[in-house]
Amino acid sequence: MSIRDRADLVQPGESTEPDEAAGWTAAVRRRLVRELPPDTMLPDTQPKYVASWIYVFGVLTLAAFLVVLGSGAVLAIQGPSWWHTSDIGHFFNSLHLWSVELFMAFMVIHLWGKFFMAAWRGRRALTWITGAVAFLGSIGTAFTGYLTQQNLDSQWIAVQSKDALNAVGIGAYFSPMNFGQMLMWHIVLLPAFVGILVVLHVLMVRRRGVVPPLPLRDRPAEAEPGTASEAGREAEAAETEEQP
Amino acid sequence: MSRRSRAAEPDPYSFGSRPYDLVKEFTIALVAVLALSIALAAVFSSPDKRPVTIATWAKADSADFTATALAELDGTSGTAQYGPPYNNASEGQKLGPVGLANLMGVTRPIDTAQDFVIRPLRSAAQTAIVSSAVARYTAASGAQQNTWTGNYSNALDKANGDPTKIAPGDYGPVPTMLTALLAQARAGSLDGQLLTESGVFYQTDYTLPLLFLADGSYLANLAGQDHLAGTQWGMMNETGNYPGQAWLWLYTFWYQISPYNNSTNGDALVWGTMAVLSLVFVFLPFIPGLRSIPRYIPVYRLIWREHYRDLRARGGT
């Protein structure tokens, strides 16, 4: 049963009571049900070819992101200076630091895995783009975190990075030496930006499904997003024909 | 992108399916990552080297503090000569013909003589000698000020930076002013004065004290001892033996090689390079040639080895 077939199971038009309500709310509801059907969002089966440890790193990245958010939230309760004077605070700072290190490590492995799968194939380019921008946004979030540590490291990073930011005009409105501004970016703007991208990324993965294997042929072909090359179509068609 | 080729994309579930519990997998991953993070935090902790204050700097290296204060007073410090966004002393860096810093303009005006020396001296309770020294300096012509500061700078060089060993000369009120500023700094009041110069009680902008610190060599020496200097792969490192921002390796890499490390526009060049690379990274799916690399590198055969094994077993390609 295909994803689309499965989605069709919950199409309003096929239910016993068609959703024909008028208004914006009903229209949004119909659109959400059509685009993001529950059994596609939370599947209890997955394609057979999803059988490698590399697939684990996507969910590990997501898990680490939640630990980062949770440990950061605990640090936020008593403010940015708390961890310098409290053993418990210092532990949560350590937890925040190491979960960030894990988050970035898992994300990089996930990224390389998706690159080698040419995972942008089959109208999945936007999935790649949201993931790539989330990675860049995560670097910015971590950078502002290092700036708000309130120690020698943050002092040095601030005075060093100002030159690069000033050189391209960004420093005129984004100053790494402005602790208050960096803290707001670190705990509000950038996490929201990355969080929204992560949610969109996951929804796109669920909606399009996991990218199918590359055709096992030695003939080079473009892995163009949204298309199947001639060689690719041949091979994929051959493979598809063999599926039940 | 044609409709025909889109339609040719195989449905993931047409390759067969197997049972999968997404929520269970995520829960296990969350518990595992949380446990691993707790273990790493408990075993390795995290670094927290105390920040430098103006007071610790003035106490630890009064010669460096005095030389820096003199450079702020006579307009020869790094900040005084910086350009946008702090002043118009220079044009700022350029990326090719484009001076982005100059285009953005001066958004955080800083007059180093006023902000780092004269205003802090005026805002503190001073002896009559210091007050009259400040008044005499500010009333003098620019040429006279330059003569005093130039003479004092030369004398400091000859005395190896030690103000107590300076030979008598025509320094005007400069030694009195800098001695008073050093005393304020050592007492700790200059830290607070630099933060509240804008006249507000609540303050979170550390631009002034950090620029003052950065103009001296004390902070840079401490950073060098902790392998944080630009030539030591700079800010991707962390104090002590911690991994730091390892993901900045490519950005930091450019600062280690020519022409980036010897260009007066090095920062702008690095940002330009990284901007291009970031765009390539984000829009990789649309770049012919690059998007085909995965087909030439057989990592995918490893990832989908079970699928290909099944396919061969059933007589497929």
Side-chain angles (χ1 to χ4, degrees):
Chain A
M1 185 181 292
S2 74
I3 285 183
R4 189 50 57 195
D5 290 341
R6 295 159 65 85
D8 288 344
L9 287 175
V10 290
Q11 288 298 299
E14 293 185 8
S15 65
T16 52
E17 294 180 19
D19 185 359
E20 295 174 347
W24 292 11
T25 304
V28 169
R29 181 175 61 234
R30 280 193 294 271
R31 178 72 184 265
L32 284 176
V33 169
R34 185 172 67 246
E35 298 293 336
L36 308 171
D39 66 337
T40 303
M41 292 298 106
L42 290 171
D44 51 18
T45 61
Q46 65 180 358
K48 205 175 174 184
Y49 54 79
V50 183
S52 167
W53 279 100
I54 195 67
Y55 288 107
V56 173
F57 286 93
V59 75
L60 284 176
T61 305
L62 203 55
F65 185 55
L66 289 188
V67 179
V68 170
L69 291 178
S71 55
V74 173
L75 287 171
I77 292 172
Q78 295 213 51
S81 302
W82 173 53
W83 74 276
H84 299 285
T85 56
S86 158
D87 289 341
I88 296 173
H90 195 123
F91 172 76
F92 275 99
N93 180 74
S94 306
L95 186 60
H96 195 57
L97 167 74
W98 287 106
S99 57
V100 167
E101 297 285 348
L102 291 174
F103 170 67
M104 297 300 284
F106 293 150
M107 187 160 40
V108 168
I109 296 170
H110 173 65
L111 182 69
W112 278 110
K114 293 302 160 187
F115 171 76
F116 285 118
M117 293 181 205
W120 48 79
R121 291 171 294 130
R123 288 188 287 170
R124 293 176 179 85
L126 202 52
T127 311
W128 171 273
I129 289 172
T130 51
V133 176
F135 175 68
L136 297 176
S138 300
I139 290 176
T141 314
F143 170 68
T144 51
Y146 274 83
L147 284 171
T148 52
Q149 292 178 98
Q150 299 179 314
N151 55 22
L152 177 67
D153 196 35
S154 50
Q155 283 182 309
W156 182 248
I157 292 172
V159 298
Q160 285 290 92
S161 60
K162 76 167 191 316
D163 294 331
L165 293 165
N166 289 340
V168 289
I170 297 171
Y173 297 100
F174 182 86
S175 172
M177 295 178 293
N178 187 332
F179 170 78
Q181 185 188 21
M182 292 304 100
L183 187 65
M184 291 296 105
W185 278 81
H186 181 64
I187 66 173
V188 180
L189 300 177
L190 287 169
F193 176 70
V194 172
I196 289 169
L197 282 173
V198 166
V199 169
L200 288 174
H201 183 75
V202 171
L203 289 177
M204 286 177 196
V205 170
R206 298 291 3 133
R207 183 166 178 247
R208 296 280 180 219
V210 182
V211 71
L214 282 161
L216 193 54
R217 292 233 174 132
D218 294 328
R219 293 167 56 184
E222 293 284 358
E224 185 185 345
T227 68
S229 64
E230 205 57 45
R233 277 200 295 275
E234 279 178 21
E236 283 159 355
E239 288 176 355
T240 306
E241 283 172 6
E242 293 175 18
Q243 307 309 313
Chain B
M1 190 182 301
S2 69
R3 288 180 182 279
R4 189 175 67 84
S5 57
R6 278 192 173 196
E9 282 302 322
D11 186 325
Y13 283 90
S14 66
F15 291 78
S17 62
R18 61 187 175 82
Y20 173 54
D21 194 334
L22 187 148
V23 174
K24 183 179 176 184
E25 180 184 286
F26 180 75
T27 304
I28 292 171
L30 184 60
V31 170
V33 171
L34 182 61
L36 185 56
S37 300
I38 289 173
L40 288 167
V43 173
F44 297 111
S45 187
S46 54
D48 189 23
K49 199 157 187 172
R50 289 177 65 83
V52 175
T53 63
I54 302 286
T56 56
W57 173 30
K59 287 175 187 169
D61 194 347
S62 58
D64 183 53
F65 175 87
T66 302
T68 305
L70 178 61
E72 306 292 10
L73 186 63
D74 70 5
T76 58
S77 69
T79 301
Q81 299 289 318
Y82 200 92
Y86 309 127
N87 49 52
N88 290 308
S90 69
E91 280 196 323
Q93 295 190 26
K94 288 184 175 179
L95 190 57
V98 183
L100 290 170
N102 211 26
L103 279 175
M104 301 304 280
V106 177
T107 56
R108 178 62 166 97
I110 291 175
D111 178 337
T112 58
Q114 287 291 332
D115 292 337
F116 293 133
V117 182
I118 295 172
R119 195 170 295 125
L121 284 172
R122 279 180 169 161
S123 63
Q126 305 288 4
T127 63
I129 295 172
V130 174
S131 295
S132 65
V134 174
R136 186 183 170 202
Y137 183 86
T138 52
S141 66
Q144 179 64 71
Q145 290 174 347
N146 287 341
T147 301
W148 287 333
T149 54
N151 290 343
Y152 195 62
S153 179
N154 292 335
L156 268 180
D157 287 342
K158 288 177 185 172
N160 292 322
D162 186 349
T164 62
K165 295 178 180 172
I166 282 183
D170 180 18
Y171 313 128
V174 172
T176 305
M177 292 168 64
L178 296 187
T179 302
L181 192 70
L182 176 64
Q184 275 178 237
R186 292 168 73 99
S189 64
L190 190 54
D191 282 290
Q193 284 168 332
L194 290 177
L195 273 181
T196 55
E197 274 197 12
S198 55
V200 295
F201 179 78
Y202 291 105
Q203 179 58 274
T204 59
D205 184 357
Y206 289 78
T207 298
L208 285 181
L210 280 173
L211 283 177
F212 198 4
L213 279 167
D215 283 336
S217 57
Y218 182 69
L219 179 63
N221 289 339
L222 288 179
Q225 290 167 20
D226 261 307
H227 51 265
L228 299 175
T231 53
Q232 298 166 305
W233 290 73
M235 60 187 190
M236 68 171 276
N237 293 330
E238 170 64 280
T239 54
N241 296 316
Y242 288 87
Q245 300 180 83
W247 42 88
L248 290 180
W249 72 269
L250 183 58
Y251 172 80
T252 314
F253 164 75
W254 301 113
Y255 284 97
Q256 317 302 315
I257 63 169
S258 180
Y260 302 94
N261 63 356
N262 53 23
S263 168
T264 53
N265 297 309
D267 290 304
L269 285 176
V270 170
W271 267 77
T273 303
M274 288 305 294
V276 170
L277 291 177
S278 296
L279 287 174
V280 168
F281 167 53
V282 170
F283 295 106
L284 186 69
F286 302 99
I287 302 174
L290 287 181
R291 67 186 177 201
S292 298
I293 290 175
R295 290 188 187 272
Y296 294 97
I297 302 175
V299 175
Y300 71 91
R301 292 172 185 248
L302 184 66
I303 293 170
W304 289 307
R305 61 188 181 283
E306 286 189 22
H307 165 74
Y308 296 133
R309 193 184 303 138
D310 290 347
L311 210 58
R312 283 196 199 92
R314 283 179 285 158
T317 50

